[in-house]
Amino acid sequence: MLRIILLGPPGAGKGTQASRISEKYNIPHISTGDIFRKNVKEETALGLKVKEYMNKGSLVPDDLTIQLIEDRLSADDCKNGFLLDGFPRTVYQAEQFDKYLSERNLSIDHVLDIDVKKEELLTRLIGRRVCRNCGATYHVINMPPEKEGVCDVCGGELYQRADDTEATVENRIEVYLAQTKPLIDYYEKSGVISHIDGATGLENVFNDIVDVLGA
Ligand code: AMP
């Protein structure tokens, strides 16, 4: 049983590490960003509400986000743990989430804070490309696919997220610093947080995470 929160700025590699953690420990990877993006793509009522916030790189209102996560966590596959990627993102979300957990006699086992310097984040985000089909991520310079624009894993089309453009990325990092970074202090008090250097390469970052979670 593992309940994990992944913290860190946009571009720190949370999504990539989350896929690997989810596979190794057999817990669902729950990314609020992925769920919102799916809703935007399918033009659901929720998607229409959140699209503008996302495109600007601002946060979706807390009440929508908290409702979404509570619905998702009530699914059967979360009974034996879960990995949250992109939630909570504000102190208010964290407080509400703590209430939700304590009402159910649950607690978080680990908060993993993956950090990377701002200049590196900008380069990573602006060059990031994602497979429309399977979600695999690439980088135009650091990790290009074999064939430009085509996913090595599934042959799907690679695209640039609407919020990975130069104009939006700066704002997302500012939003992180102002609204999400304070969560590090919040979780420091509960004693479950570990700090991981996100700039050491994919394998090393994953090994550091496994050292914390246990093999
Ligand atoms: P991500 O894929 O985690 O970078 O999230 C992409 C976008 O989805 C963010 O820039 C926000 O607009 C929105 N989003 C994702 N998670 C949250 C959250 N916990 N609270 C508010 N907005 C969120």
Side-chain angles (χ1 to χ4, degrees):
M1 166 76 72
L2 271 177
R3 296 189 197 90
I4 306 170
I5 291 173
L6 272 185
L7 274 185
K14 296 190 298 296
T16 309
Q17 296 299 334
S19 304
R20 301 196 56 179
I21 299 168
S22 160
E23 197 180 315
K24 179 169 172 66
Y25 296 95
N26 201 19
I27 47 175
H29 167 200
I30 300 174
S31 154
T32 39
D34 283 351
I35 302 174
F36 284 138
R37 270 185 294 281
K38 185 165 185 279
N39 277 273
V40 170
K41 188 173 162 199
E42 292 171 359
E43 298 183 334
T44 65
L46 176 66
L48 295 175
K49 277 189 204 154
V50 303
K51 186 174 176 177
E52 285 308 309
Y53 297 104
M54 295 183 74
N55 284 348
K56 281 191 295 201
S58 309
L59 294 184
V60 168
D62 283 336
D63 53 341
L64 287 177
T65 309
I66 292 162
Q67 188 59 54
L68 176 96
I69 208 82
E70 292 191 359
D71 288 349
R72 178 64 186 86
L73 292 181
S74 66
D76 272 354
D77 66 337
C78 298
K79 289 218 163 68
N80 293 318
F82 49 76
L83 170 65
L84 296 179
D85 161 14
F87 179 91
R89 241 348 198 261
T90 63
V91 170
Y92 181 75
Q93 289 180 13
E95 287 168 350
Q96 294 304 307
F97 187 47
D98 273 347
K99 269 191 208 155
Y100 170 91
L101 291 170
S102 68
E103 279 163 17
R104 288 160 184 77
N105 280 321
L106 302 175
S107 57
I108 293 296
D109 302 298
H110 294 280
V111 176
L112 303 173
D113 166 41
I114 307 181
D115 204 12
V116 172
K117 282 211 249 8
K118 183 175 173 185
E119 295 69 43
E120 170 74 10
L121 296 174
L122 291 172
T123 313
R124 286 189 186 187
L125 288 167
I126 293 165
R128 177 161 72 178
R129 298 293 179 271
V130 186
C131 175
R132 262 190 215 289
N133 183 44
C134 73
T137 58
Y138 298 85
H139 188 279
V140 286
I141 294 160
N142 302 339
M143 216 211 304
E146 277 185 20
K147 190 170 168 219
E148 197 186 323
V150 181
C151 178
D152 293 345
V153 181
C154 75
E157 181 201 355
L158 302 187
Y159 79 110
Q160 183 177 37
R161 273 172 48 172
D163 59 353
D164 276 347
T165 55
E166 212 161 338
T168 310
V169 156
E170 283 269 4
N171 187 39
R172 287 168 62 207
I173 294 174
E174 290 309 315
V175 166
Y176 166 78
L177 293 173
Q179 301 196 57
T180 308
K181 204 167 180 202
L183 286 178
I184 296 178
D185 273 348
Y186 180 90
Y187 286 115
E188 210 74 69
K189 287 175 198 131
S190 60
V192 290
I193 194 164
S194 304
H195 303 283
I196 309 276
D197 181 355
T200 57
L202 222 144
E203 279 308 317
N204 292 329
V205 174
F206 185 62
N207 290 338
D208 288 347
I209 291 174
V210 172
D211 281 346
V212 171
L213 300 180

